[in-house]
């Protein structure tokens, strides 16, 4: 990844700390565009995911799968880095409007996964938590009576709870490896399905 993203700079100085909305402007030699969002924010102020192109953007990962997720090449051959940050345009720049991967639609309603993670993280005995789509992966420090029911009550309807020994991390960045979590989940579901079939065949 391109490390610190020197893409947009905050307008105004330290004396403007009372301003509620900070405006960001594009720095020289940087190209940006907003990719339309699939959720309801797209109709609110023209918000979109920030894509960045320019000499500061890294050639990419050595992993082809990660490259496909993090970069987009347009018809002109321009390589765009997909930041997952959402911005809304203003007359003098852009304002931050959230993360593209923070909202999931469950049962026809949008849910902010940051709020869900915050509620889970505040629960007694929780060490780590990561929300992938509508699946909550939780690593515990301590398991108390009623822990599972307390965690489920903190989840919105339609979410699934999975307790794991620890959250897998990406080497180098230390970020949670969400793809690995999904792979482990799929493998566990397949194993459970095969075990159920074996039991049925043995009867």
């Amino acid at each position: 990844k391109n490390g610190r993203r020197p893409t947009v700079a905050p307008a105004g100085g330290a004396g403007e700390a009372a301003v509620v909305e900070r405006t960001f402007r594009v720095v020289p030699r940087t190209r940006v565009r907003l990719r339309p969002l699939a959720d309801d924010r797209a109709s609110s102020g023209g918000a979109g995911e920030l894509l960045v192109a320019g000499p500061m953007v890294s050639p990419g990962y050595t992993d082809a799968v990660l490259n496909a997720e993090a970069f987009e090449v347009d018809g002109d051959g321009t390589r765009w880095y997909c930041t997952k940050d959402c911005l809304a345009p203003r007359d003098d720049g852009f304002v931050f409007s959230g993360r593209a991967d923070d909202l999931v639609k469950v049962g026809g309603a949008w849910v902010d996964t940051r709020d869900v993670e915050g509620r889970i993280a505040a629960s007694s005995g929780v060490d780590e938590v990561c929300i992938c789509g509508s699946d909550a992966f939780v690593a515990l420090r301590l398991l108390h009576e009623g822990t599972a029911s307390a965690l489920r009550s903190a989840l919105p309807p339609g979410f699934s709870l999975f307790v794991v020994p620890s959250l897998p991390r990406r080497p180098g960045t230390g970020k949670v490896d969400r793809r690995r979590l999904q792979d482990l989940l799929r493998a566990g579901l397949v194993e459970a399905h095969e075990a159920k079939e074996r039991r049925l065949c043995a009867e």
Side-chain angles (χ1 to χ4, degrees):
K1 216 180 264 192
N2 56 327
R4 292 179 300 173
R5 289 174 250 164
T7 55
V8 288
E16 296 181 9
V19 177
V20 176
E21 250 185 5
R22 297 195 70 184
T23 303
F24 295 86
R25 296 173 183 162
V26 181
V27 299
R29 302 182 66 201
T30 302
R31 294 176 60 191
V32 303
R33 67 183 178 90
L34 300 182
R35 179 163 61 183
L37 301 172
D39 59 58
D40 298 336
R41 289 173 295 177
S43 60
S44 177
E49 180 187 355
L50 174 65
L51 271 58
V52 181
M56 77 294 297
V57 175
S58 165
Y61 297 99
T62 56
D63 188 318
V65 175
L66 292 179
N67 269 336
E69 293 178 349
F71 295 91
E72 177 180 292
V73 179
D74 63 20
D76 297 329
T78 302
R79 185 179 180 81
W80 297 89
Y81 173 58
C82 309
T83 67
K84 298 294 186 182
D85 290 327
C86 296
L87 301 181
R90 295 292 185 268
D91 292 338
D92 54 349
F94 301 90
V95 293
F96 182 72
S97 62
R99 292 277 297 172
D101 50 2
D102 283 337
L103 291 184
V104 296
K105 200 166 192 176
V106 180
W110 289 104
V111 176
D112 190 334
T113 58
R114 292 172 301 177
D115 292 341
V116 179
E117 284 188 350
R119 292 199 300 270
I120 295 294
S123 300
S124 176
V126 171
D127 186 30
E128 296 180 294
V129 57
C130 179
I131 306 293
C132 296
S134 58
D135 298 320
F137 297 89
V138 180
L140 298 174
R141 290 191 304 271
L142 296 170
L143 180 61
H144 302 287
E145 183 178 352
T147 296
S149 59
L151 292 176
R152 289 194 180 94
S153 66
L155 291 174
F159 274 63
S160 300
L161 172 65
F162 299 93
V163 176
V164 296
S166 62
L167 297 180
R169 302 279 176 176
R170 289 180 176 175
T173 66
K175 293 182 179 180
V176 175
D177 191 338
R178 294 171 179 266
R179 178 173 290 276
R180 177 63 177 156
L181 282 174
Q182 292 295 334
D183 289 343
L184 291 172
L185 175 57
R186 283 191 291 269
L189 292 175
V190 169
E191 183 179 349
H193 179 71
E194 291 177 345
K196 181 179 179 180
E197 287 188 337
R198 286 195 295 270
R199 287 196 303 270
L200 291 174
C201 293
E203 292 178 355

